[in-house]
Amino acid sequence: MDWDMTVMLFCAVGIVWMAVAMPYSRGWRYLNVRMEDSLSRSNAVLEAHSRPLESEAADEAAITLTGPATR
């Protein structure tokens, strides 16, 4: 086998190792599950907070903001 082919084979094996085997051996799957759980809980809290209460909805209807203050 040629020296160039040996280097290319080594690089291909290294890329496959870093893309597939290393994340599982380091426990990244567990970290991904934890992060997904954290994001889903954060989204649920933000959605619950963004829903206006009935008393706040009446106040928001009376006040209309324009420009940068709407953020």
Side-chain angles (χ1 to χ4, degrees):
M1 198 180 333
D2 209 3
W3 174 250
D4 294 337
M5 292 295 287
T6 305
V7 170
M8 285 191 281
L9 178 64
F10 181 76
C11 290
V13 169
I15 289 170
V16 170
W17 173 258
M18 287 182 359
V20 176
M22 197 166 94
Y24 291 111
S25 67
R26 300 246 177 167
W28 288 0
R29 174 176 278 194
Y30 176 69
L31 179 62
N32 286 339
V33 169
R34 285 181 42 208
M35 290 300 293
E36 287 174 4
D37 183 44
S38 176
L39 287 173
S40 64
R41 284 187 280 133
S42 298
N43 285 338
V45 169
L46 288 172
E47 286 176 7
H49 184 69
S50 68
R51 285 188 221 128
L53 298 175
E54 294 169 2
S55 61
E56 291 177 359
D59 294 339
E60 288 178 3
I63 300 172
T64 304
L65 298 175
T66 58
T70 57
R71 293 183 197 163

